[in-house]
């Protein structure tokens, strides 16, 4: 991997520069969650959510191999993606807590396969898992959208490691 500006030379510097370069791509923030047939639920904050196909509707997101919630996703038939709205910024701290109390006090409902869905999310995509593909230090979860909904609110934005407001140009 070469940084074109030629500045960072050390391995750690290059890795940091690479993350900073990726951070130039603004995204939203979502909470993706699943439940095993045994009833165990888990979820995590992500910004790797992407639409893949419109017909049929398919989306993907990426899960770090070290994620503690990984066994739950591995055993679940489905997942639910809740796109956070600007009004839900206050939930970010809760949703970043240790896994065993991450959903404590968070308003959720059961979605497809019992996957936790955050109430009043800006949009929700409930998916059956189509494929899981290992890619470097992540797994790519590709899902077929079985149900979706959206609200007329403002989604939360994420850019360069910071949360922000979407400003729609006229
Ligand atoms: C804004 C934001 C975006 C993130 N995006 C991802 C992502 O796309 N994939 C991922 O595996 N982790 C992502 N993370 C990190 C996980 O949310 C975090 O590592 C979490 O603690 C993993 O939880 P677990 O180990 O309990 O499963 C993101 C974190 C934040 C704050």
């Amino acid at each position: 991997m070469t940084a074109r500006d030629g500045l960072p030379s050390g391995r750690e510097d290059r890795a940091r520069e690479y993350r900073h370069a990726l951070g130039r791509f603004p995204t939203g923030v979502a909470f993706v969650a699943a439940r095993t047939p045994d009833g165990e639920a888990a979820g995590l904050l992500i910004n790797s959510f992407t639409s893949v196909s419109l017909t049929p509707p398919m989306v993907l997101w990426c899960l770090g191999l070290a994620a503690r919630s990984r066994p739950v996703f591995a055993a679940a038939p489905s997942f639910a993606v809740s796109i956070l709205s600007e009004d839900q910024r206050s939930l970010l701290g809760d949703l970043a807590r240790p896994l065993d109390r991450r959903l404590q006090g968070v308003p959720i409902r059961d979605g497809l396969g019992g996957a936790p869905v955050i109430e009043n999310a800006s949009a929700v995509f409930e998916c059956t898992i189509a494929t899981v593909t290992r890619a470097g230090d992540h797994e790519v979860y590709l899902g077929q959208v079985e149900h979706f909904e959206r609200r007329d609110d403002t989604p939360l934005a994420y850019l360069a490691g910071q949360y922000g407001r979407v400003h729609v140009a006229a």
Side-chain angles (χ1 to χ4, degrees), residues 133-145:
T133 310
R134 174 96 178 246
D137 57 8
H138 279 64
E139 285 174 327
V140 181
Y141 273 76
L142 181 68
Q144 171 134 353
V145 179

Side-chain angles (χ1 to χ4, degrees), residues 38-168:
D38 293 343
E40 191 184 351
L44 69 159
L45 286 169
I46 59 160
N47 72 331
S48 54
F49 173 79
T50 301
S51 163
V52 176
S53 164
L54 295 179
T55 312
M58 302 186 88
V59 297
L60 70 71
W61 63 280
C62 304
L63 176 65
L65 295 183
R68 278 157 299 156
S69 46
R70 197 167 152 230
V72 168
F73 286 99
S78 55
F79 62 77
V81 179
S82 301
I83 310 287
L84 300 186
S85 74
E86 198 176 272
D87 295 343
Q88 292 177 315
R89 204 182 162 125
S90 59
L91 290 180
L92 288 169
D94 294 343
L95 296 175
R97 289 181 300 200
L99 193 53
D100 54 349
R101 50 193 185 85
R102 194 166 289 166
L103 286 172
Q104 257 174 36
V106 175
I108 53 167
R109 66 169 173 82
D110 279 358
L112 186 68
V117 168
I118 300 195
E119 297 278 17
N120 299 321
S122 197
V124 174
F125 299 90
E126 296 174 44
C127 307
T128 50
I129 296 175
T131 62
V132 182
T133 310
R134 174 96 178 246
D137 57 8
H138 279 64
E139 285 174 327
V140 181
Y141 273 76
L142 181 68
Q144 171 134 353
V145 179
E146 308 291 352
H147 174 81
F148 73 93
E149 59 195 55
R150 76 171 173 95
R151 297 166 68 87
D152 267 332
D153 58 11
T154 309
L156 184 62
Y158 186 67
L159 172 65
Q162 291 189 302
Y163 301 99
R165 305 180 68 119
V166 176
H167 173 74
V168 181

